[in-house]
Amino acid sequence: MSRIVVEDVSITKISDLKRGYFRLNIAPFSKAAKVKPGQFVHVQIPGCGVYFRRAFSIYNFNAADGSIEILFKVVGRGTACLAKCRRGDRLGIVGPLGNTFRFPLKKETPVLIAGGVGFPPMYLLAVHMIEKGFEGERIVFLYGGNTKDDLVDISRIRKLGVELILTTMDGSYGQKGLITEPLKRIIDDRCGKVRLYACGPEGMLQAVDTLACDNDVPGQMSLEAPMPCGVGICLGCVRPLREGGYTRVCRDGPVYNFGEVLL
Amino acid sequence: MSRIVVEDVSITKISDLKRGYFRLNIAPFSKAAKVKPGQFVHVQIPGCGVYFRRAFSIYNFNAADGSIEILFKVVGRGTACLAKCRRGDRLGIVGPLGNTFRFPLKKETPVLIAGGVGFPPMYLLAVHMIEKGFEGERIVFLYGGNTKDDLVDISRIRKLGVELILTTMDGSYGQKGLITEPLKRIIDDRCGKVRLYACGPEGMLQAVDTLACDNDVPGQMSLEAPMPCGVGICLGCVRPLREGGYTRVCRDGPVYNFGEVLL
Amino acid sequence: MSIDLSVNIAGVEFKNPILTASGTCGYGEELADLFSLSRLGGIVTKSITVKPRLGHPPPRTAETESGMLNAIGLANVGVDEFIEKKLPFLEKFDTVVVVNVAGAKIQEYVEICTRLADCPRADMVELNFSCPNVEEGMGIATSAVLAERAVAEVKKVFGGPVIAKLSPNVTDIAEIAQACESGGADAVSLINTLVGMAVDIETFRPRLTNNTGGLSGPAIKPVALAMVHKVYQAVKIPIVGIGGIATADDVIEFLLCGAAAIEIGTALFVEPDTPVKIARDLKKYLSKNKFDSVKQLIGQLRIYS
Amino acid sequence: MSIDLSVNIAGVEFKNPILTASGTCGYGEELADLFSLSRLGGIVTKSITVKPRLGHPPPRTAETESGMLNAIGLANVGVDEFIEKKLPFLEKFDTVVVVNVAGAKIQEYVEICTRLADCPRADMVELNFSCPNVEEGMGIATSAVLAERAVAEVKKVFGGPVIAKLSPNVTDIAEIAQACESGGADAVSLINTLVGMAVDIETFRPRLTNNTGGLSGPAIKPVALAMVHKVYQAVKIPIVGIGGIATADDVIEFLLCGAAAIEIGTALFVEPDTPVKIARDLKKYLSKNKFDSVKQLIGQLRIYS
Ligand SMILES: Cc1cc2nc3c(=O)[nH]c(=O)nc-3n(C[C@H](O)[C@H](O)[C@H](O)COP(=O)(O)OP(=O)(O)OC[C@H]3O[C@@H](n4cnc5c(N)ncnc54)[C@H](O)[C@@H]3O)c2cc1C
Ligand SMILES: Cc1cc2nc3c(=O)[nH]c(=O)nc-3n(C[C@H](O)[C@H](O)[C@H](O)COP(=O)(O)OP(=O)(O)OC[C@H]3O[C@@H](n4cnc5c(N)ncnc54)[C@H](O)[C@@H]3O)c2cc1C
Ligand SMILES: Cc1cc2nc3c(=O)[nH]c(=O)nc-3n(C[C@H](O)[C@H](O)[C@H](O)COP(=O)(O)O)c2cc1C
Ligand SMILES: Cc1cc2nc3c(=O)[nH]c(=O)nc-3n(C[C@H](O)[C@H](O)[C@H](O)COP(=O)(O)O)c2cc1C
Ligand code: FES
Ligand code: FES
């Protein structure tokens, strides 16, 4: 059996979360039961004239009905077009793609750091940890954005019962400032017992990567890159490795240990 | 002021007439009040990846609310995509394009011959004649198709009170056989007092053209050709003239006198 | 802040860098039904030949992915009727008239340009060396020697500036551009269409009666940009960029690569008011990015070294 | 009626005419996660060079209208690791393995092909003369003399059939194809990518760190078809068609123009199971049109005269 499938799926629901964010439910995806946190699907967006597929992290999945969910922000031609789709429209997807996160050790406190549209894989990772026996309250979830508008679906993450810390750059919601501020405090407080997981904008990841390396904190982050193929055959999504050479974000990643990739 | 406009319009209504035929209402078109029968619009179909616009005859217009109507059949990529549009979707249109029909003389009996998707301009011509003072019952309207399924919107043409003759190749509706059969009889019956107007598939137009020329009956037909530009600048839609040289169907036509164009 | 869209090519002032390309705007009559031609920087008229030409039998065009093929076959009214009937129409517009000229032999270019030399409204000529549709024409487009000679001969008879229009169907377009420069060309324009083909899989027939045709439209824009970039590094005369331009963003790419002006071709078929929209969006871009003249973009590409 | 999709090129039997193109299917490992490589007529592996190459820094690709630009820079594991680690993986599949070889000098082609001569799984080699991404490589692609010599030298050392892969960035591709035929090539494949460029209008930077790159995808299909058609009239050896193929209809166009087989490149990125879908649709077309072998299509174009 193929590990990765190319399938036509239907949009079963599209929710406008306002301020440019949308949530999309699609089904049936034959590999829904196999999805691991951090993995993504490569989506063919119908009728917008963009040639490549677009990559979106899997936000949630339902093994029972074979559905998956993505959360996206409108940033360009492709996402603008995706936002105009309606229930019943067909999408082509390739997936599940990419690797996944390493599970924390029992004694470690997992700290999940989500910035903007880096939220979906962090959410799914939290869900996964809880399913695998981690108590919600033992998970620290940092969720930051530029303004209130970037913090979407908060109610959903609250339901997991994680220790939630929200930040906005302009202070319009949660703590004011960079997400790395509370992170620094957490690292200092629980020295040696945390494992970090991060996904978000490049600047945030650079800061977290530096923090993690400087403080010798283990963990991983999920990267982005423009992806022509998503399956590892075009060599277009490469990023330089610290040890030299390039890594394909779509297949060798998107999840990397801190310090592994030159940001 | 520009004679031809390039405008973005909204789909105000899309009606599935079944069997692959659709009716589309679009507005506001600033030139709706200027439309003449036989003219067409060049439509940019969103999101189907076809590069050229597609030409559609104007089926009806409403000068008051600036709306126009087209009637189309799904035959390929572009029309398939147009059929999937929904109310509120935006379309780009260029128009009104092309020339129009010569008005019949008072003493003549206008015979309108519509085959398949050649129906829209014939319908509009009938409406126009009635508006300009021709009594409906003096207009003979022949409407033919391969089967019953090709005779759409019959109720609408009936309402005009014209003398309606329907034909289908397979006899599933109206008279069985070619539309030219009743036409021949009409020409014979009302010798010298008819004027023909035709629009429809190439084979039908050839037959009507021959009939008209052989019997010295005046009149015109509306032709089709693949149209890259629709406005006369590409020279792509040309057809050979009997007298030599080429004519641009989009601008010099689409309406031609019988005998003018080599079919 | 007022934004200056004007550019100057070989001493000729264009109110904006937007021209319409030869063969895609006829002699201007039809476009004038859509917008005033005075809004254009310039109009390049359909290639004219010594004698009128009917062109190839249809089908002459085919739709392709993000583009089209054409083999119109240089259908045109011929130089006599052009001067008598077409050029006068353009007199009423405040725009630069570039007359595109095609021929099978150098002598034909000379003959036409001699006639045009007496026409005050023929502000410039553009020599179409590259039309892939006429066998005889190919020679000049692919030969540096012939191209240089053709330009030099035309320069002797036509007083105004001469633009040499180059074909992309060559191993080294920079070499041909340099030859035209040596011949005295005041500018080069590029690219003409790429040789292409499409086949009807039901009839086994080519989609054009000419079998092959010229590919144009957004599909070829990357090729055109690379060639403009290459030629910009090889010649000193101004470059007019052509190929797949449909938006102001496209125009900016060409200007950055070194084009001093651009021509819009196939986009006119799909969006006939493209030049008007581009002029508007170009202004917006310049003002947003705090430029006061479009000239500030020309050749400003920051290449990786 | 059973439909025969098999074709034969230079004595090698392909179960169907569908190959995957070099540089767009790695060494087969990743695609094998999507479908069995045994469903392919053949696989053409990523260009290998004497030494491993990391390739150019990102960005290496850019999206264009109906296509893409790439300047990967011949990133590959080098011939040693290829033979040791990559070729064995392909052993388990029932498909023709074509090893694509690139080099800066003729000697490098010879060196690699000498090594490959000892590998039973290297059924054929394809010589990439045309990669526009390495300066040194350009010479062979654009010179009939060098191309002929390169093929002849490789033929001396490699026992199996040799395919010469041609660049479209030349004035006359038929001339280069004939030279390869004279040199002893068993087949030619065409086209490689067209030189292209794209610019970021916010940063004024080229979209590729290599400044220019190779254009591929549906955008270039018409150009590829015209070149296959031209070469078919010029050589007797079989032609492998490449360029923008995404559907069975595209494949049929290439076969009609004279290709005996085809390679799928960029389409794999957008629709990784394209070869499987094409094989299915090709069968449908043949059966609908009452052909029993795909060979009945090759070269059957009915040109207008
Ligand atoms: C593994 C992965 C997971 C992702 N998950 C999500 C998600 O869950 N939700 C979400 O909203 N977005 C996500 N993204 C980013 C998303 O793919 C881009 O926002 C989207 O491709 C933009 O397409 P566009 O046509 O709207 O924008 P355009 O800017 O028009 O795209 C132009 C080109 O740039 C590429 N591109 C643009 N922005 C990015 C980016 N940030 N990362 C990678 N490529 C980019 C596109 O692939 C395209 O080739 C993810 C990206 C990757 C690589
Ligand atoms: C003046 C004019 C008026 C028309 N009015 C109507 C109308 O009222 N209702 C209607 O249903 N259709 C009408 N047509 C035909 C309509 O334009 C075609 O059916 C449509 O372009 C097919 O597009 P497609 O993408 O679905 O088909 P495709 O076959 O995929 O189109 C491929 C190409 O062929 C061209 N083409 C295909 N069929 C035709 C055709 N019959 N005539 C011209 N070009 C064609 C298209 O422009 C396109 O370039 C008209 C055509 C013309 C020229
Ligand atoms: C239908 C058509 C006709 C053309 N005729 C001519 C011509 O007569 N003379 C000429 O120099 N170029 C001619 N061209 C080439 C264009 O001027 C232009 O160089 C080319 O199409 C590339 O630009 P584009 O992609 O913007 O169309 C023609 C192009 C098209 C599409
Ligand atoms: C990302 C990428 C990498 C490529 N690498 C190679 C290569 O290493 N060797 C080679 O001969 N061709 C290479 N090519 C060219 C393809 O094999 C093919 O000739 C070209 O892309 C045209 O086909 P397409 O339009 O189907 O992609 C590459 C193409 C792409 C898009
Ligand atoms: S996107 Fe193609 S290798 Fe990663
Ligand atoms: S469609 Fe362009 S001239 Fe008629």
Side-chain angles (χ1 to χ4, degrees), chain C residues 45-68:
Chain C
T45 53
K46 173 81 190 158
S47 277
I48 53 166
T49 49
V50 175
K51 297 260 164 272
R53 286 175 59 102
L54 294 178
H56 297 308
R60 298 170 160 190
T61 57
E63 195 178 22
T64 66
E65 297 300 310
S66 299
M68 70 177 284

Side-chain angles (χ1 to χ4, degrees), chain C residues 19-32:
Chain C
L19 289 74
T20 54
S22 180
T24 65
C25 56
Y27 311 108
E29 294 151 332
E30 298 83 4
L31 276 189

Side-chain angles (χ1 to χ4, degrees), chain C residues 21-23 46-47 70 100 128 165 191-193 216-217 242-244 265-266:
Chain C
S22 180
K46 173 81 190 158
S47 277
N70 91 79
N100 182 296
N128 173 12
K165 183 167 177 182
I191 59 176
N192 210 310
T193 54
S216 62
I242 322 170
T266 309

Side-chain angles (χ1 to χ4, degrees), chain A residues 54-57 71-73 75-76 78-79 117 224-227, chain D residues 63:
Chain A
R54 298 295 191 249
F56 299 98
S57 302
L71 173 73
F72 68 94
K73 184 182 178 176
V75 300
T79 45
V117 289
E224 286 194 3
M227 291 184 176
Chain D
E63 194 177 23

Side-chain angles (χ1 to χ4, degrees), chain A residues 234 236, chain D residues 23-24 46 56 60-62 68-74 131-133 192-194 196 208 210 212-216 266 269:
Chain A
C234 75
Chain D
T24 65
K46 173 81 190 159
H56 297 308
R60 298 169 161 192
T61 57
M68 69 178 284
L69 288 167
N70 91 79
I72 304 298
L74 288 185
C131 185
N133 304 332
N192 210 312
T193 54
L194 285 158
L208 303 173
N210 191 50
T212 61
L215 182 66
S216 62
T266 309
F269 302 165

Side-chain angles (χ1 to χ4, degrees), chain B residues 51 228 233-236, chain C residues 20-25 44-48 60-61 68-76 100-102 126-133 165-166 189-194 214-221 224 241-246 263-269:
Chain B
Y51 183 59
I233 54 179
C234 77
L235 310 184
Chain C
T20 54
S22 180
T24 65
C25 56
V44 188
T45 53
K46 173 81 190 158
S47 277
I48 53 166
R60 298 170 160 190
T61 57
M68 70 177 284
L69 288 167
N70 91 79
I72 304 299
L74 287 185
N76 79 98
N100 182 296
V101 174
E126 181 180 65
L127 308 179
N128 173 12
F129 291 153
S130 40
C131 186
N133 303 332
K165 183 167 177 182
L166 308 180
S189 59
L190 55 142
I191 59 176
N192 210 310
T193 54
L194 286 157
L215 181 66
S216 62
I220 70 166
K221 192 187 74 170
I242 322 170
I245 295 172
E263 296 178 17
I264 297 167
T266 309
L268 292 170
F269 301 166

